[in-house]
């Protein structure tokens, strides 16, 4: 096989590795994205717990970068403090190494089984989650297949004199090898893919184990550069996490570089095959970073806050409308489109408030509650701006349909503001009361509340989608679910009263909290459902009154 064919096969194998990694991450995110977000948001001042949660999320997403970007989206809204966020980042770095550990074994025999199972689940199942699980399984099979292709394509290069000369020179230029490793990781935009590539090259004998260790240090440095580049335009609260992560990694790489001969000897002394030794040392390096920096997180947080202080206008900028252009008021269709985009921004903030509120009942401090209050300030500001903009628009609009759409937008934004008010003035106060008095729900009661809350969050997501699509079937589903939730609230109340009759201590202590949470969530659902009413009324599919006609 000629040099060109070998290079083409090697590049094709690397491309397949990148694509399969992306396939797995996409499937996991679509199937379990909400659960992963929930895991991350449970990170508190307990650093070991935060490390564990970060590792779990990165392992599930097959990417520390994806976990870090998800984390920074919370930090940018003030929903997680800096110290636990840095602990989560250290855990995410560890979690992604377990993916490499698993795939460094010879798993080629499982490829046919994984492909058959994955394709079957994706093509034959009507369940959305199962289809995404099938996507994940297909991605894993292709990852294993691509690693075998890399080994096969590179095997004939082991005796190439030019390549042997280049590798021998790199073996003596550790700093250059680290820079190359970091650069390749950045180009691939996947530390997992890069480390697996190193594992394959070492396993095929194309590069010696010592050079593989040096490349591995570069890959770990590059893994910190990827999220830093992708998230650099985030607010400073988010950037601090990314800067801390790259500083941790760079410090670890520098320490290993200073002791490189001993590090290489230590890896070579591991009782493992060369490729397994690379995977194991990757995990050891990141666990070592966690052990080194966990006790120093408070100091690191103070330094990061000093170097990257919050900008005075960052919070104000988030509350400014982005799409309400006064020059569009003379073109009602364009103005209504701009207002609709701003309403989506408003709805996204309310959805975040609603999703995070349930977690405040488990928090031990007021960090999350304060962040949700800040989001409510943004909601109030955006709602006022949208309402004034649409009010001005209605003064110049002559078309009846445009008038009605403008009014419907005002009504929806008003309902979204009411949702925010219920969250801040009612639910957050209940969470503060629970924390202040050290109360705890019964296991059964808490399970009912979280299930009920999850149904309301699902309604919120459906309402946002309906707002954009105006789909009549979706509108019917939203209103039908409102009746189901009303019935579910009644059942949950009856179960709670039954626990009171049984004398369950936790239920007795939290009775008023429990019932008030159910009531407030049901009120929120009523406001959310309002987006469906104009759509159904336009089709004559909703009654003006639920009262029966009186008999004559």
């Amino acid at each position: 096989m000629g040099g060109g064919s070998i290079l083409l096969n090697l590049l094709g194998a690397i491309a397949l590795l990148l694509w399969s990694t992306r396939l797995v991450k996409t499937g996991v995110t679509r199937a379990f994205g909400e659960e992963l977000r929930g895991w991350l948001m449970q990170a508190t001042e307990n650093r070991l717990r935060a490390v564990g949660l970060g590792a779990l999320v990165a392992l599930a997403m097959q990417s520390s970068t994806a976990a870090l970007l998800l984390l920074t989206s919370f930090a940018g809204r003030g929903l997680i403090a800096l110290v636990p966020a840095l602990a989560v980042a250290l855990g995410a770095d560890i979690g992604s190494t377990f993916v490499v550990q698993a795939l460094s074994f010879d798993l080629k025999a499982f490829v046919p089984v994984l492909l058959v199972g994955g394709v079957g689940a994706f093509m034959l199942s009507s369940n959305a989650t199962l289809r995404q699980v099938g996507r994940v399984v297909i991605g894993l099979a292709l990852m294993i297949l691509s690693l075998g292709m890399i080994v096969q394509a590179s095997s004939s290069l082991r005796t190439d004199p030019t390549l042997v000369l280049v590798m021998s020179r790199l073996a003596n230029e550790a700093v250059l090898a680290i820079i190359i490793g970091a650069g390749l990781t950045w180009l691939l935009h996947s530390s997992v893919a890069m480390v697996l590539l190193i594992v394959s090259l070492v396993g095929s004998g194309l590069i010696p184990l010592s050079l593989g260790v040096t490349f591995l240090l570069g890959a770990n440095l590059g893994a910190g550069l990827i999220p830093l580049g992708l998230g650099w335009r985030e607010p400073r609260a988010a950037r601090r996490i990314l800067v801390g992560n790259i500083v941790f990694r760079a410090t670890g790489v520098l320490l290993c570089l200073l002791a490189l001969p001993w590090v290489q000897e230590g890896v070579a002394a591991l009782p493992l095959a060369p490729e397994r030794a690379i995977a194991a040392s990757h995990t050891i390096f990141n666990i070592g970073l966690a052990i080194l920096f966990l006790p120093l997180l408070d100091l690191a947080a103070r330094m990061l806050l000093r170097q990257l202080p919050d900008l005075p206008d960052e919070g104000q900028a988030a509350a400014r409308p982005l799409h309400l252009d006064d020059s569009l008021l003379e073109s009602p269709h364009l103005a209504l489109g701009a207002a609709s985009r701003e309403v989506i921004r408003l709805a996204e903030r309310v959805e975040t408030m609603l999703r995070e509120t349930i977690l405040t009942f488990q928090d031990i401090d007021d960090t999350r509650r304060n962040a949700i209050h800040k989001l409510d300030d943004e909601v109030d500001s955006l709602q006022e701006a949208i309402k004034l903009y649409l009010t001005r628009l209605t003064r110049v609009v002559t078309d009846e349909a445009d008038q009605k759409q403008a009014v419907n937008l005002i009504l929806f934004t008003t309902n979204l503001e009411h949702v925010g008010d219920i969250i801040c003035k009612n639910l957050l106060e209940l969470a503060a009361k629970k924390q202040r008095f050290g109360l705890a729900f019964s296991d059964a009661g808490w399970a009912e509340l979280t299930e009920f809350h999850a149904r309301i969050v699902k309604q919120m997501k459906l309402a946002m989608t309906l707002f954009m699509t105006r789909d009549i079937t979706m509108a019917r589903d939203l209103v039908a679910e409102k009746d189901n939730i009303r019935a579910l609230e009644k059942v949950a109340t009856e179960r709670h009263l039954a626990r009171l009759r049984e004398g369950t201590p936790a239920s007795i202590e939290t009775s008023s909290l429990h019932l008030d949470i159910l009531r407030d969530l049901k009120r929120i659902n009523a406001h959310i459902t309002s987006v469906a009413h104009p759509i159904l009324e336009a089709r004559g599919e909703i009654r003006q009154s639920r009262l029966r006609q009186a008999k004559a």
Side-chain angles (χ1 to χ4, degrees), residues 64-102:
S64 60
T65 298
L68 279 172
L69 293 177
L70 189 59
L71 178 67
T72 55
S73 70
F74 299 144
R77 298 195 295 268
L79 295 173
I80 186 169
L82 181 55
V83 169
L86 291 173
V88 171
L90 288 170
D93 294 338
I94 295 172
S96 66
T97 70
F98 295 144
V99 180
V100 176
Q101 286 272 22

Side-chain angles (χ1 to χ4, degrees), residues 192-220:
V192 170
M194 181 59 191
V195 177
L196 287 173
L197 178 60
I198 296 170
V199 167
S200 300
L201 296 177
V202 170
S204 66
L206 186 62
I207 62 175
L209 179 61
S210 57
L211 182 56
V213 171
T214 314
F215 276 144
L216 182 65
L217 294 176
N220 276 279

Side-chain angles (χ1 to χ4, degrees), residues 314-527:
E314 275 192 334
Q316 299 172 3
R320 293 194 199 110
L322 297 180
H323 307 291
L324 304 183
D325 187 348
D326 288 347
S327 65
L328 299 178
L329 291 173
E330 297 179 0
S331 304
H333 288 301
L334 295 177
L336 287 170
S340 297
R341 290 194 295 275
E342 204 65 54
V343 171
I344 286 296
R345 286 187 71 219
L346 173 66
E348 286 173 346
R349 281 159 173 73
V350 175
E351 190 263 339
T352 298
M353 292 172 64
L354 177 60
R355 188 181 63 245
E356 306 302 332
T357 293
I358 196 68
L359 300 176
T360 63
F361 288 90
Q362 294 181 305
D363 286 342
I364 60 174
D365 59 27
D366 59 355
T367 301
R368 200 188 315 265
R369 290 203 306 276
N370 290 339
I372 295 175
H373 277 297
K374 289 180 181 177
L375 278 176
D376 187 53
D377 292 339
E378 293 180 23
V379 166
D380 291 341
S381 178
L382 286 175
Q383 190 269 344
E384 185 68 19
I386 294 169
K387 182 177 67 175
L388 292 175
Y389 185 80
L390 289 170
T391 301
R392 292 166 60 196
L393 179 63
T394 56
R395 294 174 187 155
V396 298
V397 168
T398 57
D399 184 78
E400 184 179 349
D402 288 343
Q403 281 274 2
K404 184 174 292 187
Q405 185 179 350
V407 171
N408 288 337
L409 286 174
I410 292 174
L411 291 175
F412 186 45
T413 57
T414 302
N415 277 292
L416 289 174
E417 186 197 23
H418 289 333
V419 171
D421 289 341
I422 293 171
I423 290 171
C424 284
K425 296 176 182 177
N426 295 63
L427 289 173
L428 293 188
E429 290 303 314
L430 294 175
K433 179 180 177 181
K434 175 182 178 293
Q435 185 186 114
R436 187 165 58 249
F437 292 105
L439 303 176
F441 295 107
S442 67
D443 291 341
W446 180 241
E448 288 171 2
L449 289 175
T450 52
E451 179 189 355
F452 195 73
H453 171 263
R455 295 281 286 268
I456 305 301
V457 171
K458 187 176 180 181
Q459 283 281 87
M460 182 69 195
K461 292 180 180 297
L462 183 61
M464 292 169 65
T465 306
L466 174 61
F467 176 78
M468 292 184 287
T469 63
R470 317 293 292 178
D471 182 78
I472 187 68
T473 302
M474 202 174 291
R476 293 193 199 101
D477 291 342
L478 189 67
V479 173
E481 181 65 5
K482 179 182 178 181
D483 293 333
N484 295 335
I485 286 173
R486 188 185 299 113
L488 182 61
E489 187 251 354
K490 182 179 180 181
V491 171
T493 301
E494 290 172 350
R495 288 175 178 170
H496 175 72
L497 295 176
R499 287 192 294 273
L500 292 181
R501 288 192 294 270
E502 294 168 0
T504 304
S507 296
I508 294 172
E509 289 181 347
T510 60
S511 182
S512 61
L513 286 177
H514 190 106
L515 295 176
D516 286 347
I517 292 170
L518 289 174
R519 177 206 62 199
D520 290 333
L521 288 175
K522 188 177 78 169
R523 288 173 59 205
I524 287 172
N525 184 56
H527 288 296

Side-chain angles (χ1 to χ4, degrees), residues 34-75:
E34 286 305 310
E35 289 81 356
L36 296 177
R37 291 167 70 93
W39 288 357
L40 279 186
M41 291 312 300
Q42 291 173 28
T44 64
E45 294 297 334
N46 185 327
R47 299 177 189 183
L48 289 178
R49 175 184 173 85
V51 169
L53 289 169
L56 284 174
V57 173
L59 177 60
M61 300 185 79
Q62 307 260 309
S63 170
S64 60
T65 298
L68 279 172
L69 293 177
L70 189 59
L71 178 67
T72 55
S73 70
F74 299 144

